[in-house]
Amino acid sequence: MSKILFVVTGAQHWTLKDGTQHPTGFWAEELVAPYREFVAAGHTVEIATPGGVVPVVDQGSLAADANGGQANADAIKDELDTIAQLSAPSDLSDVVLDDYAAVFYPGGHGPMEDLAVDATSGALLTSTLASGKPLGIVCHAPAALLATTDDQGASPFAGYRATGFTNAEETQAGLADKAPWLLQDRLVELGIDFQEADPWSEHVVVDRSLFTGQNPASSGPLAQEILKAL
């Protein structure tokens, strides 16, 4: 089988509108559920972060109320602890796209802080799109698409149908008023044909080789759609 690259945020906080730092990282379910799907199908997952920094999990994503109960929360933490490469990720700048059959971006608020302005990630996204390889991006991770603009502000992703964490979900999560910008708004400004479903519902959008999921619950179904393409 083939190798799949996970590009994971290295941010430990998200800078809010008032300048305060909101603790964050990657969202557990959005990494664990796709990882589980890909590995079960016989693929190898490799992890890269900006600068090769060890990523941190958003502690909120390990809470009982974020996982349908304490038992599920404990199970996802145990599963996360088995992914050894999270402790020694590759440096994103060392990634060779030809080595991978697909690329996947888990979310969490972390990408709003680092991947949204990371030129190396932006170049990888642009190259992956041009290659036609499956590109999966979930929840807040489409913030990374903001780094794909050229000198004129144009992105190769403009015109694609896609989804991501919605304004309604950010509002219900209690962070919309504090956010320096909202993901849905920025993606629309980028030229994305944003597809919004009911808050917190499973929602996957596939447009050519671009696979996007709206929220944590969409991450497993998103991986399943990518597996069909592989």
PDB file of all heavy atoms in Angstrom, residues 8 26 31 47 53-55 80-81 83-89:
ATOM      1  N   VAL A   8       0.411  18.587  10.252  1.00  0.00           N
ATOM      2  CA  VAL A   8      -0.194  18.917  11.539  1.00  0.00           C
ATOM      3  C   VAL A   8       0.329  20.266  12.029  1.00  0.00           C
ATOM      4  O   VAL A   8       1.523  20.566  11.907  1.00  0.00           O
ATOM      5  CB  VAL A   8       0.110  17.819  12.583  1.00  0.00           C
ATOM      6  CG1 VAL A   8      -0.515  18.140  13.931  1.00  0.00           C
ATOM      7  CG2 VAL A   8      -0.394  16.463  12.075  1.00  0.00           C
ATOM      8  N   PHE A  26      -3.730  20.660  17.768  1.00  0.00           N
ATOM      9  CA  PHE A  26      -4.576  19.926  16.831  1.00  0.00           C
ATOM     10  C   PHE A  26      -5.730  19.299  17.599  1.00  0.00           C
ATOM     11  O   PHE A  26      -5.649  19.082  18.807  1.00  0.00           O
ATOM     12  CB  PHE A  26      -3.774  18.870  16.064  1.00  0.00           C
ATOM     13  CG  PHE A  26      -3.239  17.741  16.915  1.00  0.00           C
ATOM     14  CD1 PHE A  26      -3.997  16.614  17.187  1.00  0.00           C
ATOM     15  CD2 PHE A  26      -1.943  17.802  17.445  1.00  0.00           C
ATOM     16  CE1 PHE A  26      -3.514  15.577  17.974  1.00  0.00           C
ATOM     17  CE2 PHE A  26      -1.439  16.769  18.228  1.00  0.00           C
ATOM     18  CZ  PHE A  26      -2.235  15.649  18.495  1.00  0.00           C
ATOM     19  N   LEU A  31      -7.381  13.982  13.981  1.00  0.00           N
ATOM     20  CA  LEU A  31      -6.158  13.255  13.644  1.00  0.00           C
ATOM     21  C   LEU A  31      -6.345  11.754  13.830  1.00  0.00           C
ATOM     22  O   LEU A  31      -6.017  10.965  12.950  1.00  0.00           O
ATOM     23  CB  LEU A  31      -4.987  13.755  14.491  1.00  0.00           C
ATOM     24  CG  LEU A  31      -3.602  13.234  14.066  1.00  0.00           C
ATOM     25  CD1 LEU A  31      -2.525  14.287  14.320  1.00  0.00           C
ATOM     26  CD2 LEU A  31      -3.213  11.941  14.797  1.00  0.00           C
ATOM     27  N   ILE A  47       3.922  11.943   9.557  1.00  0.00           N
ATOM     28  CA  ILE A  47       3.489  13.233  10.103  1.00  0.00           C
ATOM     29  C   ILE A  47       4.583  14.274   9.935  1.00  0.00           C
ATOM     30  O   ILE A  47       5.761  14.008  10.209  1.00  0.00           O
ATOM     31  CB  ILE A  47       3.108  13.085  11.588  1.00  0.00           C
ATOM     32  CG1 ILE A  47       1.871  12.174  11.713  1.00  0.00           C
ATOM     33  CG2 ILE A  47       2.840  14.446  12.232  1.00  0.00           C
ATOM     34  CD1 ILE A  47       1.547  11.781  13.139  1.00  0.00           C
ATOM     35  N   VAL A  53       8.472  20.766  14.710  1.00  0.00           N
ATOM     36  CA  VAL A  53       8.177  20.876  16.141  1.00  0.00           C
ATOM     37  C   VAL A  53       7.195  19.780  16.548  1.00  0.00           C
ATOM     38  O   VAL A  53       6.378  19.327  15.747  1.00  0.00           O
ATOM     39  CB  VAL A  53       7.602  22.262  16.505  1.00  0.00           C
ATOM     40  CG1 VAL A  53       8.562  23.365  16.118  1.00  0.00           C
ATOM     41  CG2 VAL A  53       6.242  22.484  15.847  1.00  0.00           C
ATOM     42  N   VAL A  54       7.292  19.345  17.786  1.00  0.00           N
ATOM     43  CA  VAL A  54       6.379  18.325  18.304  1.00  0.00           C
ATOM     44  C   VAL A  54       5.011  18.970  18.501  1.00  0.00           C
ATOM     45  O   VAL A  54       4.888  19.945  19.257  1.00  0.00           O
ATOM     46  CB  VAL A  54       6.908  17.728  19.618  1.00  0.00           C
ATOM     47  CG1 VAL A  54       5.888  16.756  20.213  1.00  0.00           C
ATOM     48  CG2 VAL A  54       8.238  17.020  19.381  1.00  0.00           C
ATOM     49  N   PRO A  55       3.970  18.472  17.834  1.00  0.00           N
ATOM     50  CA  PRO A  55       2.658  19.095  17.960  1.00  0.00           C
ATOM     51  C   PRO A  55       2.010  18.784  19.302  1.00  0.00           C
ATOM     52  O   PRO A  55       2.333  17.769  19.938  1.00  0.00           O
ATOM     53  CB  PRO A  55       1.866  18.466  16.814  1.00  0.00           C
ATOM     54  CG  PRO A  55       2.482  17.118  16.639  1.00  0.00           C
ATOM     55  CD  PRO A  55       3.947  17.300  16.942  1.00  0.00           C
ATOM     56  N   LEU A  80      -4.391   8.050  20.684  1.00  0.00           N
ATOM     57  CA  LEU A  80      -3.446   9.112  20.333  1.00  0.00           C
ATOM     58  C   LEU A  80      -2.046   8.770  20.849  1.00  0.00           C
ATOM     59  O   LEU A  80      -1.045   8.991  20.158  1.00  0.00           O
ATOM     60  CB  LEU A  80      -3.937  10.427  20.941  1.00  0.00           C
ATOM     61  CG  LEU A  80      -3.346  11.732  20.439  1.00  0.00           C
ATOM     62  CD1 LEU A  80      -3.652  11.943  18.960  1.00  0.00           C
ATOM     63  CD2 LEU A  80      -3.927  12.899  21.248  1.00  0.00           C
ATOM     64  N   ASP A  81      -1.999   8.204  22.045  1.00  0.00           N
ATOM     65  CA  ASP A  81      -0.708   7.883  22.668  1.00  0.00           C
ATOM     66  C   ASP A  81       0.050   6.781  21.920  1.00  0.00           C
ATOM     67  O   ASP A  81       1.257   6.620  22.117  1.00  0.00           O
ATOM     68  CB  ASP A  81      -0.921   7.455  24.124  1.00  0.00           C
ATOM     69  CG  ASP A  81      -1.329   8.621  25.015  1.00  0.00           C
ATOM     70  OD1 ASP A  81      -1.137   9.787  24.602  1.00  0.00           O
ATOM     71  OD2 ASP A  81      -1.856   8.363  26.124  1.00  0.00           O
ATOM     72  N   ILE A  83       0.413   6.709  18.651  1.00  0.00           N
ATOM     73  CA  ILE A  83       0.952   7.238  17.394  1.00  0.00           C
ATOM     74  C   ILE A  83       2.335   7.822  17.680  1.00  0.00           C
ATOM     75  O   ILE A  83       2.487   8.994  18.036  1.00  0.00           O
ATOM     76  CB  ILE A  83       0.006   8.295  16.792  1.00  0.00           C
ATOM     77  CG1 ILE A  83      -1.385   7.689  16.580  1.00  0.00           C
ATOM     78  CG2 ILE A  83       0.566   8.807  15.457  1.00  0.00           C
ATOM     79  CD1 ILE A  83      -2.426   8.675  16.076  1.00  0.00           C
ATOM     80  N   ALA A  84       3.338   6.994  17.532  1.00  0.00           N
ATOM     81  CA  ALA A  84       4.690   7.346  17.967  1.00  0.00           C
ATOM     82  C   ALA A  84       5.251   8.548  17.221  1.00  0.00           C
ATOM     83  O   ALA A  84       6.006   9.348  17.796  1.00  0.00           O
ATOM     84  CB  ALA A  84       5.618   6.146  17.786  1.00  0.00           C
ATOM     85  N   GLN A  85       4.901   8.704  15.956  1.00  0.00           N
ATOM     86  CA  GLN A  85       5.531   9.760  15.174  1.00  0.00           C
ATOM     87  C   GLN A  85       5.124  11.168  15.613  1.00  0.00           C
ATOM     88  O   GLN A  85       5.784  12.143  15.260  1.00  0.00           O
ATOM     89  CB  GLN A  85       5.255   9.577  13.676  1.00  0.00           C
ATOM     90  CG  GLN A  85       6.356  10.216  12.828  1.00  0.00           C
ATOM     91  CD  GLN A  85       6.002  10.332  11.363  1.00  0.00           C
ATOM     92  OE1 GLN A  85       4.984   9.816  10.921  1.00  0.00           O
ATOM     93  NE2 GLN A  85       6.845  11.016  10.616  1.00  0.00           N
ATOM     94  N   LEU A  86       4.054  11.253  16.399  1.00  0.00           N
ATOM     95  CA  LEU A  86       3.686  12.570  16.931  1.00  0.00           C
ATOM     96  C   LEU A  86       4.802  13.124  17.822  1.00  0.00           C
ATOM     97  O   LEU A  86       4.907  14.334  17.998  1.00  0.00           O
ATOM     98  CB  LEU A  86       2.378  12.484  17.720  1.00  0.00           C
ATOM     99  CG  LEU A  86       1.102  12.438  16.888  1.00  0.00           C
ATOM    100  CD1 LEU A  86      -0.092  12.091  17.775  1.00  0.00           C
ATOM    101  CD2 LEU A  86       0.883  13.770  16.176  1.00  0.00           C
ATOM    102  N   SER A  87       5.618  12.244  18.358  1.00  0.00           N
ATOM    103  CA  SER A  87       6.729  12.671  19.214  1.00  0.00           C
ATOM    104  C   SER A  87       7.974  13.039  18.428  1.00  0.00           C
ATOM    105  O   SER A  87       8.909  13.624  18.980  1.00  0.00           O
ATOM    106  CB  SER A  87       7.080  11.554  20.208  1.00  0.00           C
ATOM    107  OG  SER A  87       5.972  11.249  21.024  1.00  0.00           O
ATOM    108  N   ALA A  88       8.001  12.677  17.136  1.00  0.00           N
ATOM    109  CA  ALA A  88       9.176  12.957  16.309  1.00  0.00           C
ATOM    110  C   ALA A  88       8.748  13.190  14.863  1.00  0.00           C
ATOM    111  O   ALA A  88       9.110  12.410  13.965  1.00  0.00           O
ATOM    112  CB  ALA A  88      10.176  11.807  16.404  1.00  0.00           C
ATOM    113  N   PRO A  89       7.994  14.256  14.622  1.00  0.00           N
ATOM    114  CA  PRO A  89       7.515  14.503  13.258  1.00  0.00           C
ATOM    115  C   PRO A  89       8.626  14.980  12.338  1.00  0.00           C
ATOM    116  O   PRO A  89       9.668  15.463  12.790  1.00  0.00           O
ATOM    117  CB  PRO A  89       6.471  15.609  13.462  1.00  0.00           C
ATOM    118  CG  PRO A  89       6.959  16.344  14.670  1.00  0.00           C
ATOM    119  CD  PRO A  89       7.547  15.291  15.567  1.00  0.00           C
TER     120      PRO A  89
END
